[in-house]
Amino acid sequence: MPRDHWKYEGVLAAPERDGYLPKLPLPHHDPSSPLAIADMADAFGVTHRTLHFYEEKGLLIAARMGPMRVYGADHIRRMAVINACREIDMPIATIQELLSSLAAADDQAEADRLFKEALLSRRRELAAQQSNLRRQMQRIAELLESEAGNGEPQSDDTAHVHLSPIESECLTFMAEGYPASRIARLMEMDLAAALTLEAGIIRKFNAHNRFQAIAKAVLSGMIAAE
């Protein structure tokens, strides 16, 4: 049997060369046994739709064990890499390029180097985004101060803003520049709940968007300016 095929009770999946992958923590299970799609979703905290999406993008391949869709050890390891990359909001296209590069790696050292370079590149991107957010927040703060200086009526609505602990935590993540999808994962809630929480915070600050809410929170001293 060729090494690039899976075989589960006589069923073959499409061949796939995984090359070398970075060694990341895996869900606890018998490595010799495949994971059914439901177990795979539970193990990595994603939905069935997410796994199907990754398959559509060529990131994963599921085999068949009777009526069940299952994932073998190599693709469980691939999912660990994909999940780690998505946790830092790495674009799907970048993950596709990374997995292609890992598939062509000649040894584990090269695979580890490629993964490290991808992480460093993403960190530079996030740093640039954070810098842009700070400039935007500063500009909003300047505009708000300018309105107050022009003698236009401006109520001190932030003095009466009360946030719950969960709202305060969310506001902190917003100020750090995290998108709602990342906040949802950090706070262990679904995306809809995170968006609702963020909208409530924006409404409490009588703001038009998250940037204005953050700027008002900075000006009121509710969060520290960077």
Side-chain angles (χ1 to χ4, degrees):
M1 179 65 60
R3 292 182 61 190
D4 57 357
H5 285 73
W6 310 350
K7 183 177 181 180
Y8 303 131
E9 298 182 357
V11 180
L12 295 182
E16 177 73 7
R17 182 178 187 273
D18 291 299
Y20 294 88
L21 295 170
K23 297 178 180 179
L24 298 176
L26 299 174
H28 297 294
H29 76 291
D30 180 358
S32 65
S33 301
L35 274 180
I37 187 169
D39 295 328
M40 182 82 146
D42 289 342
F44 288 99
V46 299
T47 64
H48 290 206
R49 177 179 290 184
T50 297
L51 294 176
H52 287 304
F53 173 73
Y54 292 157
E55 290 182 31
E56 291 172 2
K57 295 299 181 180
L59 300 175
L60 292 174
I61 298 177
R64 288 280 182 181
M65 181 182 287
M68 292 193 306
R69 296 169 59 81
V70 297
Y71 298 90
D74 287 343
H75 282 259
I76 295 170
R77 293 184 63 208
R78 284 170 69 95
M79 183 58 191
V81 175
I82 295 166
N83 212 45
C85 292
R86 291 302 294 154
E87 285 177 344
I88 57 174
D89 288 315
M90 187 179 288
I92 290 294
T94 304
I95 299 174
Q96 290 172 320
E97 293 174 2
L98 172 61
L99 288 177
S100 295
S101 298
L102 292 172
D106 293 325
D107 52 37
Q108 188 64 51
E110 182 180 357
D112 292 341
R113 177 183 60 79
L114 290 169
F115 187 57
K116 181 178 180 180
E117 289 177 353
L119 293 179
L120 292 173
S121 176
R122 182 59 182 156
R123 185 169 70 178
R124 289 192 294 270
E125 291 173 356
L126 291 173
Q129 291 175 14
Q130 192 173 42
S131 177
N132 288 334
L133 286 172
R134 287 188 183 126
R135 285 197 295 270
Q136 291 168 359
M137 287 170 57
Q138 180 61 35
R139 182 55 181 154
I140 290 171
E142 291 170 355
L143 291 171
L144 290 171
E145 290 176 352
S146 176
E147 289 181 5
N150 288 334
E152 298 179 4
Q154 182 181 35
S155 61
D156 186 15
D157 50 3
T158 59
H160 304 288
V161 172
H162 173 72
L163 300 181
S164 67
I166 193 172
E167 289 174 327
S168 295
E169 183 181 6
C170 181
L171 177 62
T172 299
F173 289 136
M174 290 165 61
E176 290 176 359
Y178 291 129
S181 58
R182 176 64 169 152
I183 293 174
R185 288 194 290 272
L186 288 169
M187 299 186 69
E188 298 182 347
M189 61 178 63
D190 60 36
L191 179 57
L195 288 170
T196 299
L197 184 61
E198 182 174 314
I201 293 169
I202 293 172
R203 186 167 55 252
K204 282 189 174 183
F205 280 99
N206 194 26
H208 298 294
N209 52 52
R210 62 156 36 202
F211 302 112
Q212 192 176 68
I214 293 167
K216 287 188 173 186
V218 171
L219 287 175
S220 67
M222 296 181 70
I223 55 176
E226 293 287 341

